[in-house]
């Protein structure tokens, strides 16, 4: 049964996506949500907030020692972010592909970073996506309380295979 178990876990995989302050400033929230909706992912949590330095240091715990970390703090606390949890088949890997490479200059056309940013160096790249299922689980717990995530059924599941 192990392959079935793996398959069903992957079917209901969850990932954390955040529209960073530059994405909110540039009115890209709707466009980014639409891409995940159209791909068939299910929105199970959503909120807007001003990030604290404490939350950010826990979110980016592997980056706090990097030389660019102070700039990253300035960037990420410069305005509100919109953070969401999306659920569906292979959500983590697929959403990384939809978001594109970290440096927008290298990001492929068709990705969020490849479509909305020309070149601004590394920092302001509009969106965050969890990079592994374990990372996603950690980030979802960090940003959301359990009751803020909703389980709901897709009413046309039979036609689309959406969950
Ligand atoms: P990711 O956002 O594509 O997962 P990470 O390496 O986890 O990339 O870095 C987190 C964020 O930190 C990036 O999205 C970017 O905003 C910033 N960042 C990463 N590397 C650099 C760098 O070399 N210079 C400046 N900022 C960086």
């Amino acid at each position: 049964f192990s392959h079935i178990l793996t398959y069903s876990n992957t079917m209901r995989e969850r990932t954390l996506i955040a529209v960073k302050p530059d994405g909110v400033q540039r009115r890209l929230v709707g466009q980014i949500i639409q891409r995940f909706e159209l791909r068939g992912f299910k929105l199970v949590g959503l909120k807007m907030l001003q990030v604290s330095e404490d939350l950010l240091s826990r979110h980016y715990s592997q980056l706090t020692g990097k030389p660019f970390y102070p700039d990253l703090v300035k960037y990420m606390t410069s305005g509100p972010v919109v953070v969401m949890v999306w659920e569906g088949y292979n959500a983590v890997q697929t959403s990384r592909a939809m978001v594109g490479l970290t440096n927008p200059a290298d990001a492929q056309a068709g990705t969020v970073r490849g479509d909305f940013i020309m070149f601004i160096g590394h920092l302001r790249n509009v969106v965050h996506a969890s990079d592994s299922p374990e990372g996603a689980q950690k980030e979802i717990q960090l940003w959301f309380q359990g009751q803020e995530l909703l389980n709901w059924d897709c009413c046309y599941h039979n036609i689309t295979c959406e969950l």
Side-chain angles (χ1 to χ4, degrees):
F1 284 112
S2 70
H3 66 288
I4 298 172
L5 203 59
T6 309
Y7 177 72
S8 73
N9 286 347
T10 314
M11 280 305 278
R12 289 203 177 271
E13 191 168 89
R14 289 180 171 185
T15 193
L16 185 108
I17 302 296
V19 183
K20 294 178 173 184
D22 55 328
V24 174
Q25 291 285 346
R26 292 181 51 195
R27 318 296 199 254
L28 293 175
V29 175
Q31 300 249 9
I32 291 165
I33 289 176
Q34 188 172 36
R35 287 175 179 230
F36 285 89
E37 285 190 329
L38 291 177
R39 188 73 192 251
F41 289 110
K42 185 201 285 183
L43 184 61
V44 295
L46 172 82
K47 62 185 174 182
M48 187 180 204
L49 69 156
Q50 176 68 45
V51 181
S52 68
E53 285 193 30
D54 178 55
L55 175 60
L56 200 64
S57 69
R58 283 187 279 154
H59 175 77
Y60 282 139
S61 56
Q62 302 102 312
L63 299 180
T64 52
K66 300 274 184 190
F68 60 82
Y69 187 71
D71 282 343
L72 186 57
V73 173
K74 221 180 283 174
Y75 162 44
M76 289 297 292
T77 59
S78 66
V81 303
V82 172
V83 62
M84 24 197 183
V85 177
W86 291 92
E87 181 181 287
Y89 176 70
N90 209 17
V92 171
Q93 200 184 329
T94 301
S95 55
R96 289 289 285 188
M98 290 165 68
V99 160
L101 294 177
T102 305
N103 185 343
D106 299 330
Q108 274 199 322
T111 64
V112 174
R113 289 166 176 167
D115 286 350
F116 296 138
I117 320 160
M118 184 180 60
F119 174 78
I120 38 90
H122 266 113
L123 267 180
R124 284 174 291 152
N125 53 9
V126 167
V127 68
H128 166 80
S130 306
D131 68 358
S132 64
E134 301 73 38
Q137 219 172 353
K138 188 198 107 186
E139 291 175 3
I140 290 166
Q141 280 173 8
L142 186 61
W143 290 79
F144 285 90
Q145 308 282 325
Q147 75 273 15
E148 292 176 317
L149 301 174
L150 304 182
N151 293 308
W152 55 280
D153 293 322
C154 176
C155 60
Y156 45 78
H157 169 76
N158 292 344
I159 311 168
T160 62
C161 284
E162 288 174 28
L163 297 169

